[in-house]
Amino acid sequence: MSRNIYGLDLGSYEIKVYDKKQKSIWREKNAIAFADEKEIFAVGDEAYEMYGKTPDHIRVVFPMKEGVISGITDMQYLLQNLLKRGHQFAYGSEYVIAVPTDVTELEKRAFCDLVLHSTARAKSVRIVARGIADAVGAGIAVEREPGIFLVNFGASTMELSVLSYGGIVLNRLLKIGGMHLDREIIQLVKNRYQILISGRTAEFLRKEAGLFPDRQESIYQVPCKKLGTGLPKYKEIPGTLVKTALREPLSDCVKEMTALLKRTPPEVRQAIEQKGIFLTGGMASLSGLDRYLSHAGGWKVTVANQPAICAVRGLEKIIHNKNLHKLTYEMSVENDRWIR
């Protein structure tokens, strides 16, 4: 019998973990700070606080990139460190991991290797498509619904999932997320004002300005550096500029959603048209995003409750409900192969 079961949702910016023994969900930034390129200086939230503020000899890295693990060793160290810190981490535990569907088998395998072949010494690993975990976490009875369209807006990816009766019909992973939108803001500010703002500042502007103008347009004073001299200063940025920067990438999102719907079987698409589209992920909280998608695509759009932790709440339900275990795949430690 395993000592504990963990549900893991590994995002590009944040790790979400459900701990069955403690009956709790906790979140920590998915970041490591290195000093002099090799010495680990800080991890998690502490490392993220240094992002964009560090001296030259300290570098902050994110072991996840565009939905997949880009640095397995760094990711293993980070996860083990966070599990031990303030939590009753147990070796030989079971893990249920939410993974993107539209990635290679090798990339999926890396999620399992993260805990199978590390000091965590996992007893077993089950994986579930993130779209399914999101739907379960959103309170949707996935096994009974003939058609669900779910969009997970994350930090570096946008995952589109069409589900029917508990299975994936179509899935698309796009390299468009919060960080991409922030780069668009940085570029437009640079072109318009000849100044450079940080990723953290761009993220602040995105979250504060949203997508629809207020009755009285907001102005944000932000720190920046003047191009050419590099001298620090403050600059007032109008909210309308942020909306302009986001217009093109979000228009691309609408095109991708429309294209996937067109490929959806008619009976599934009919059910989706009745229920509408569900939004999850941290970016789903962007002010006005649901209104924008509804206006641009002509869809009914619903933002899930607490969208940023939707997938890990789905993992919690799957762990506790034996009837939902069939939604997962298991990786056998003994023979090292996928079984259903």
Side-chain angles (χ1 to χ4, degrees):
M1 183 176 180
S2 68
R3 298 170 64 184
N4 200 359
I5 303 179
Y6 296 102
L8 303 182
D9 178 26
L10 306 175
S12 297
Y13 255 23
E14 192 174 54
I15 297 174
K16 277 81 72 175
V17 181
Y18 172 68
D19 185 323
K20 183 181 180 184
K21 185 170 287 187
Q22 295 193 5
K23 298 180 179 179
S24 64
I25 291 173
W26 49 274
R27 306 160 65 177
E28 187 116 9
K29 293 298 183 183
N30 195 349
I32 301 178
F34 287 95
D36 299 319
E37 294 297 325
K38 55 185 177 180
E39 180 185 350
I40 294 176
F41 189 78
V43 298
D45 291 347
E46 185 180 352
Y48 184 75
E49 282 303 312
M50 301 177 182
Y51 181 48
K53 308 174 184 176
T54 60
D56 292 340
H57 75 287
I58 296 178
R59 182 171 61 94
V60 178
V61 302
F62 299 89
M64 294 283 294
K65 184 178 181 181
E66 296 176 345
V68 297
I69 300 170
S70 60
I72 185 71
T73 302
D74 291 343
M75 193 71 236
Q76 285 178 333
Y77 178 86
L78 175 59
L79 183 61
Q80 290 158 20
N81 186 284
L82 297 181
L83 286 172
K84 291 175 184 178
R85 185 195 300 171
H87 304 279
Q88 297 175 355
F89 174 64
Y91 295 107
S93 297
E94 296 180 9
Y95 292 81
V96 183
I97 307 176
V99 303
T101 303
D102 190 20
V103 295
T104 67
E105 290 301 313
L106 187 62
E107 289 167 336
K108 288 181 185 179
R109 177 56 183 270
F111 284 90
C112 294
D113 287 346
L114 181 66
V115 289
L116 278 177
H117 306 300
S118 69
T119 56
R121 296 198 297 272
K123 178 182 177 181
S124 69
V125 179
R126 298 198 305 274
I127 67 168
V128 59
R130 182 174 285 119
I132 291 177
D134 266 326
V136 173
I140 301 170
V142 292
E143 293 183 285
R144 298 198 297 269
E145 289 292 341
I148 303 166
F149 195 138
L150 195 138
V151 181
N152 183 302
F153 278 94
S156 65
T157 60
M158 170 185 176
E159 187 168 4
L160 314 179
S161 299
V162 175
L163 316 177
S164 180
Y165 296 116
I168 298 283
V169 178
L170 293 169
N171 186 272
R172 185 96 161 86
L173 187 68
L174 307 172
K175 296 175 182 179
I176 300 175
M179 292 190 295
H180 179 82
L181 300 185
D182 294 343
R183 287 195 295 269
E184 293 291 322
I185 295 171
I186 291 170
Q187 189 61 45
L188 186 56
V189 169
K190 178 181 177 182
N191 294 341
R192 186 74 59 87
Y193 300 111
Q194 303 302 303
I195 59 174
L196 185 64
I197 61 173
S198 69
R200 293 288 295 272
T201 299
E203 180 184 13
F204 164 79
L205 288 171
R206 165 170 55 85
K207 291 180 176 179
E208 290 296 316
L211 293 176
F212 283 88
D214 302 323
R215 292 180 181 176
Q216 182 176 358
E217 181 56 53
S218 299
I219 303 292
Y220 305 94
Q221 190 175 65
V222 299
C224 60
K225 291 182 179 180
K226 187 171 179 58
L227 289 180
T229 66
L231 294 175
K233 58 180 290 187
Y234 279 84
K235 178 69 178 178
E236 291 186 342
I237 305 294
T240 51
L241 183 138
V242 176
K243 299 172 181 66
T244 300
L246 301 186
R247 185 180 301 146
E248 184 174 345
L250 288 178
S251 176
D252 291 340
C253 293
V254 172
K255 291 176 184 176
E256 293 287 352
M257 293 165 67
T258 302
L260 196 69
L261 270 174
K262 287 181 178 179
R263 293 172 49 205
T264 302
E267 62 277 12
V268 178
R269 186 168 63 244
Q270 184 179 14
I272 290 170
E273 289 169 352
Q274 293 175 354
K275 292 282 185 179
I277 293 174
F278 295 89
L279 301 184
T280 67
M283 269 285 295
S285 299
L286 177 63
S287 176
L289 179 61
D290 53 341
R291 291 169 57 196
Y292 173 84
L293 294 176
S294 180
H295 176 76
W299 310 302
K300 173 186 176 184
V301 179
T302 302
V303 179
N305 184 37
Q306 294 183 292
I309 60 170
C310 220
V312 75
R313 284 192 293 129
L315 295 176
E316 176 185 1
K317 292 180 180 180
I318 289 170
I319 287 170
H320 285 279
N321 188 339
K322 291 183 178 180
N323 292 328
L324 297 178
H325 286 187
K326 57 190 173 185
L327 299 175
T328 68
Y329 294 84
E330 184 174 1
M331 172 65 96
S332 170
V333 179
E334 289 78 15
N335 56 24
D336 208 36
R337 64 178 176 87
W338 294 101
I339 60 175
R340 182 119 193 211

